[in-house]
Every structure is written in structure tokens, then in C-alpha cells.
Amino acid sequence: MNAAQLPPVAPEVTATLVEGLSPRLRKRLDAAVTKLAARPTHRDGDTTTIEVDDETELRLHAPGGVVAKVEDVTCGCLLAPACVHRAAAACAAPAADLAPEPAEQATPEAPGPASGTAPAAVGPDAARALGLNVAPASGPDAATGVAANAAPGRAPNTAPDAATPHETASPDQRAAADALWSAGAAVLEAGVDGAGAVTQSALLRAAHTARLRHLPRAAGTALSVVTLLRAARAGNPSYRTAELVTALAELLGTAHRVGTASGAELAAVRGRVRRPYSPDGSLRLYGLFTEPVVTDSGHGGVRTWVAGADGRLFTVGDVAPGGAGRALGVADRAVRLGDSALTHRELGRAGLAVSGATVSPDGRLGAGKAVKAVTARGAVWTEPPLAALWGTPPAEQAARALRSTSRYADPDGTGSDLLFLDVELLGAIREPGGACLLAQCEGGVRVRLTVADDDPALAHRDNLALLAAAPGTRLRIIGRLIPATHPRLTLLACTHPTGEGTVDLGLDRLRRADLPDPSAPAHFAPPQPAGPGGPSPLYLLERRVEQTVPAGRAALGLLSDVTAEARRIRRGGLPTAAALLTALCASAAQRDRDLFGRLLPADTDGFAAYWLAAARYTAAVSESLCAAAWNATEGDQVAVPPVPVHDVAG
């Protein structure tokens, strides 16, 4: 049985079923989930049936596609309804997010690439010993160098609800945030290996309570944590530890801020259940390019980017279950927007005149019945208004894109992670993960261009290999920023090497005859240094932050003395990172005893506070290093910008 075969189950249903089990059955729950996953499943209309054994069936009734009531899960065994099978089925099924999309969003987009304070015992003494204030700031998070937009595994992009300037969280909201903090801290304590169905159930209950208390941002993040935990425990190849680190830090940070936030900050912390589409009048749009979208969850489709006369960027998407094959097919289907008969490929090079437009905060164009759109003349990349997109210096574009891709910002959905550059190709360079294309742009900044998707059905890799055989070629490109300590982009579109037209690098295939010298082999540029001053020792702290997630606090507490690592970090100019590493490992190892020598419960809240501070700090420094790299020309020394560390947990 694949979890995708089961209908989504509401978080409160799973939590209620698990909470109703006896302590003996709770101990058997994880084994029951594994056993049930191997049983055959079939669906008939709204009902999914699992064959528990040769004589027993378990049914999940999902009217509307979601199991919304405890009574909708039934089992035919002798112990029902107090059996372990019902809870196991709910834990094996995907967690349902009951926040609906607006009705006018006719074409679904891919799931994200997704949005009270802690108890008084959140390690304040240890935090003061470091000189850190782990309470949230009274203002926005700009001081930590973080900005908007959710990463994979975070809550959906949400626009903030309105709030009065002095409004604060209600007691019920603070209590809900406390529960979220405790549930998140329990995950850190146990690690992925120990965060089984019971721990996940506590997260689901806390998420449901937070949703009822009008904290959808934190509730959505808690659901993301549960989804990632299940993927990790199931050995899903698409799972990435870094995504769970981000989701956990977002959950803990948001829960921690609820109690002290007010006004606009409180509105951002609360979030919004739905992505609102607001009227935007009449728009004159010019096509830029179309990119294929293939997700790890099995979705496929395309996203077409267009620009308004004022330079604003918008997208029109069509993404649904189907993978790379669907992406290639949808590219030649008509865009679902008004009366336009343009396909996505055609729109990427043509234009639209739209009346009654509606737009989401992240730039998605709504496809409601009132929207009217007709085909209009497009513009080439060297003509107004598109030419202005390439007029901004690369460093400014990178800073703007960083504000859009930052991992822990308030998700207002604004901004774009695209960069528009004029480059000269230098050739391929070899990296540990393979080869990428090196190019030089304005100011002498050398940028690495990589493929957006390795799927062999798409054209990305073949096109990049051909461009590597054309050193000296000047191109106008569009790429997506990859936060790194050196300038790096995924290459999405470029002008044609012959100078005529543009190329959607995931859909259109270049030919060797398109190159200036068709017989030239791939050219490899000279090896590039790791960066002025060498790689940052920040990774020594980052790996301890990541190590906690799969193995739990105890594994970090078993480490030997980290004095040598802390000394190396301090020599690299990051004294706060060194202090955080020392304090994090000390907190993980700390276990007090009572008067009789018995071990007291570990300080999970204090450890969670240190871990959160370290996760937020490493993200802020990494983003600062990325911004500095785009400002540096060849031969410059990249200095680490000062990163304020007060409120890094906020």
C-alpha cells in the first residue's frame, strides 16, 4: 500500500484515534502502521478499503475527498472500534490541509517549492549566558537578514490578516502556540527515528488547535513537519533533511513569536488560511518564458512567466499529477485565462491584454469567470518594457531574490527569485556533484549555471552541455537564484545563440548547428577557487544543527569535546557561531540528577531554544555570504557581513 492510495485524513481525526488507544496499543502503533502499509488496498468511489487480513477489512470513507470524521474510519475486527487498525490507517494516510484554495484558482499549481510564546522554561539562563535574547523582536525579522517566501516543507504562502497597531495574541492563541512549541521540541528530542505515530499525533492535535485559534501559518507548518517526518521514516527518496530542519525551525520560531508580537508583526505571525486573489484592473502583459515543473510528489506541468508594462512579474500555471510527461504535453495546451487561445509556449513569446485581472500576493494570475484576456503583441527581450529587467545590476537583483528565497521570513509572497543577466560563456567546470557552466556577467562576477531539472525527458541537461561548447558566446539569460557562498543560478531561458528569438531551456532543444562553431567540443574553463579566503567554517555548526534532526538530542549529547571545532569557527571570524556550537552541544549533554542520584527529565525547551537560535543564525549568515559573493569581483576578498544575533530565534 502506498500512502498516496489513501485519502487524506483530517489532523483532528488522526489525533483523536491515537489519543483513544490504550498505552499498550500505543506502543504497538508504529509496527501496526508498517504492517498495514504492506496490505492490499482498493478504492470504490469515496470509500477506500484495506484488507487487514483474509477475513477483516478496514474502510476509510472520504466524502469530498477527505476523511473528516472519526466515524468515517471503520474496522471489521473483533476489537473495533478500540482496535489499533483505525489509528494505524489514519497515521499511514496523508494529513489533510483543510484550508481551501480560492474558487477562481482554476488551474492548480504544484505543492510548495509551500506557510503564545514558548513556556517560561525555554532556557533563558543559558541564553543570557551567551548574550542572546531568544525572545522575538518587536519589529520584523529584517535584522536577521531573512526575508519573504516559504521554502519546501514550509506553510503555504499566506498574506497577513489585518491587525490593529497594539493588538496582541489572545490567551487561547498563546496556549495553542505553547502546544505547538512543546510538540516541535518533542520532535527534536526524539529525532526522526523516535518521532513515531504518537509524536506525530501530538503535532496534528496542536496543528488543529492552532487552526481553530486562527494561527494558520503555524498550523500549516506543523502539518509540513508531519509530512516530512513520515517521508523520512518511510525512506522516501525525495526527502531532504534540510527541508525538515527548515520546517522545524519555522514551526518553533513562529510559535515562539506569537506571545510577544503585536500589530503588523502579529498579523504576519498568524498568517492567512487562504491565498487571497485581489482585483488588479486591466493589465498589459508580455511573455518572458515557460518552464516545466516536475515535483518529487509526482506532479507535472508548466509555469509561464509574463511581465507587466511596469515590470511586475506574473505567472500562469497548469500543474497537476502526471510527472515530466504531463509537463511536456501541457506546454502545448491552451492557457486557461479568459478568451485567449495561446498555448503556454506561445504565451512565453507573445502578449496578453487582460481586463478584470485578479492576482495573488506571489503573482499568480487568477482564472475567474470575470477575467477577460485577448492575444496581443509581445516584445523581445531587448525592447521596452522587458529590456528594463536586465538593467538592474546583478548584485541588486541577487539581494532582491534573496529576500524572496529566504527560509524563515514572514510569508507575504512578494518578490521573485529570478535574475536577468547579460553574460559571456566561459565553459564548463567540474564540481563534486557534476559539471556546470561558468559565465561572467557585469562587474566581473563569475556565476555558475546549473540545470533546473535532471530528468532526461526534459531538455535542460542536453542544452547546458551544448552551451558548454560555445565559450565566448554572449547571451541574455534568465535564471533562478541558488543561495550559495558563490554566485549560482539554475538556467531557465536564454536568447538563441544565433541571436534570433529565445530558448525555453527545459522545453526547446538546441542543436549543434545552432552553435557558432558546431564542431567545437565542450570547453572546460580553468578550475575555480573555492572562494577568497576559502570556504566558510559555518558548516561545522550547520552539520550539528542537521545532525540533531535524524538522531535527536541524545546523539548530539554523546559527541566528544567540540572545542577544536569552536576554535576553528572563531578563527574564521564567526565568534557567535562558535559560542552557539559550544552551548548547543553542552545543552544536549546536560542531564541533572535528583538527591537520590536519579536522572531528571532533560530540559527539552532549553535545548530547542539553542537549536532554534543556531538554525536561524546559520541561515542568516549563509544568506549574507551569498549576498557578499554577488558584490565581489574577481580578486576581491569576500568579508562576512556582520549579522545581528539578538533575536535569532524570533
Side-chain angles (χ1 to χ4, degrees):
M1 177 188 70
N2 190 317
Q5 296 176 302
L6 300 179
V9 178
E12 65 273 21
V13 172
T14 303
T16 301
L17 289 172
V18 173
E19 291 163 358
L21 295 176
S22 65
R24 180 179 64 86
L25 289 181
R26 288 192 187 188
K27 293 179 181 179
R28 296 171 49 190
L29 182 56
D30 288 330
V33 172
T34 302
K35 183 177 179 180
L36 206 62
R39 301 301 301 168
T41 303
H42 65 271
R43 178 174 297 184
D44 183 10
D46 293 335
T47 301
T48 300
T49 303
I50 305 173
E51 297 180 11
V52 178
D53 53 41
D54 294 338
E55 299 179 354
T56 306
E57 290 184 341
L58 187 150
R59 292 183 175 87
L60 292 86
H61 184 54
V66 174
V67 179
K69 296 185 296 184
V70 173
E71 296 78 13
D72 290 337
V73 185
T74 59
C75 183
C77 74
L78 295 177
L79 295 178
C83 63
V84 74
H85 304 132
R86 299 169 70 218
C91 292
D97 185 352
L98 299 182
E101 286 290 326
E104 69 174 1
Q105 180 66 2
T107 54
E109 285 279 6
S115 56
T117 60
V122 183
D125 295 334
R128 292 191 193 98
L130 272 180
L132 300 178
N133 173 16
V134 296
S138 59
D141 276 357
T144 64
V146 293
N149 213 358
R154 290 185 55 187
N157 282 337
T158 53
D161 287 318
T164 59
H166 302 292
E167 181 182 355
T168 58
S170 68
D172 283 345
Q173 288 178 327
R174 296 187 185 204
D178 289 348
L180 286 167
W181 173 277
S182 298
V187 172
L188 275 181
E189 175 71 17
V192 169
D193 294 338
V198 174
T199 302
Q200 295 167 27
S201 171
L203 263 175
L204 293 174
R205 173 62 70 190
H208 175 60
T209 303
R211 182 79 72 182
L212 295 179
R213 299 294 182 263
H214 307 292
L215 298 173
R217 176 179 173 182
T221 308
L223 293 184
S224 297
V225 171
V226 171
T227 300
L228 289 166
L229 280 174
R230 291 177 176 177
R233 292 173 62 85
N236 191 320
S238 66
Y239 166 75
R240 299 291 183 272
T241 299
E243 294 181 3
L244 185 51
V245 169
T246 299
L248 267 173
E250 167 72 5
L251 173 63
L252 293 171
T254 303
H256 199 77
R257 292 172 62 193
V258 168
T260 57
S262 62
E265 184 188 4
L266 176 62
V269 170
R270 286 189 309 214
R272 187 187 292 272
V273 175
R274 303 171 65 169
R275 181 184 293 109
Y277 280 75
S278 56
D280 209 334
S282 297
L283 296 174
R284 179 67 170 88
L285 304 176
Y286 300 85
L288 279 167
F289 72 100
T290 299
E291 62 171 322
V293 178
V294 180
T295 71
D296 293 330
S297 60
H299 288 69
V302 295
R303 181 183 299 113
T304 298
W305 290 81
V306 296
D310 57 358
R312 285 188 298 161
L313 299 180
F314 304 91
T315 60
V316 182
D318 186 348
V319 180
R326 186 179 188 277
L328 295 173
V330 168
D332 293 313
R333 293 184 189 175
V335 174
R336 301 177 186 175
L337 191 65
D339 301 322
S340 171
L342 292 173
T343 66
H344 281 275
R345 284 182 191 263
E346 292 169 343
L347 176 57
R349 296 174 175 84
L352 279 179
V354 183
S355 62
T358 57
V359 183
S360 71
D362 58 355
R364 299 188 190 187
L365 291 169
K369 295 181 180 179
V371 178
K372 306 296 181 184
V374 295
T375 304
R377 177 186 174 276
V380 298
W381 290 1
T382 54
E383 294 178 353
L386 299 185
L389 297 172
W390 281 264
T392 305
E396 292 183 24
Q397 294 192 53
R400 182 258 302 150
L402 273 173
R403 291 193 296 270
S404 176
T405 60
S406 182
R407 286 176 281 178
Y408 302 121
D410 294 332
D412 60 5
T414 58
S416 164
D417 56 0
L418 299 184
L419 271 69
F420 303 83
L421 304 176
D422 289 305
V423 302
E424 178 182 345
L425 303 183
L426 302 178
I429 58 172
R430 293 183 176 91
E431 294 185 322
C436 67
L437 182 59
L438 186 68
Q440 183 164 298
C441 58
E442 180 183 329
V445 175
R446 292 190 172 185
V447 55
R448 291 168 168 85
L449 306 175
T450 66
V451 296
D453 196 307
D454 279 326
D455 195 307
L458 304 178
H460 289 294
R461 181 162 294 283
D462 291 342
N463 285 335
L464 203 71
L466 278 176
L467 292 175
T473 302
R474 294 180 177 273
L475 297 175
R476 180 159 278 194
I477 68 170
I478 301 175
R480 178 169 287 117
L481 179 72
I482 300 177
T485 55
H486 53 265
R488 194 177 188 89
L489 302 175
T490 55
L491 189 57
L492 301 174
C494 68
T495 52
H496 198 281
T498 62
E500 298 181 0
T502 61
V503 181
D504 295 336
L505 289 166
L507 299 171
D508 305 326
R509 290 190 179 272
L510 291 169
R511 297 173 300 176
R512 188 161 291 276
D514 295 325
L515 303 182
D517 183 0
S519 62
H523 174 79
F524 281 88
Q528 299 297 302
S536 168
L538 184 67
Y539 79 91
L540 295 170
L541 177 59
E542 288 176 325
R543 71 176 181 180
R544 298 308 182 194
V545 169
E546 289 201 2
Q547 186 179 15
T548 306
V549 171
R553 177 196 57 80
L556 203 62
L558 293 175
L559 290 176
S560 58
D561 187 15
V562 294
T563 303
E565 292 184 11
R567 187 182 303 115
R568 182 177 172 186
I569 295 174
R570 192 172 284 107
R571 285 201 305 265
L574 298 171
T576 302
L580 279 171
L581 175 63
T582 302
L584 178 66
C585 294
S587 177
Q590 182 179 1
R591 290 295 301 272
D592 296 327
R593 297 180 180 270
D594 62 15
L595 295 176
F596 298 97
R598 296 172 298 193
L599 281 174
L600 295 173
D603 181 12
T604 57
D605 289 330
F607 176 73
Y610 276 124
W611 182 89
L612 175 60
R616 295 293 296 265
Y617 175 84
T618 55
V621 174
S622 295
E623 289 158 10
S624 295
L625 289 171
C626 179
W630 281 91
N631 278 289
T633 58
E634 188 176 5
D636 287 342
Q637 292 294 316
V638 179
V640 178
V643 179
V645 296
H646 63 282
D647 305 322
V648 290

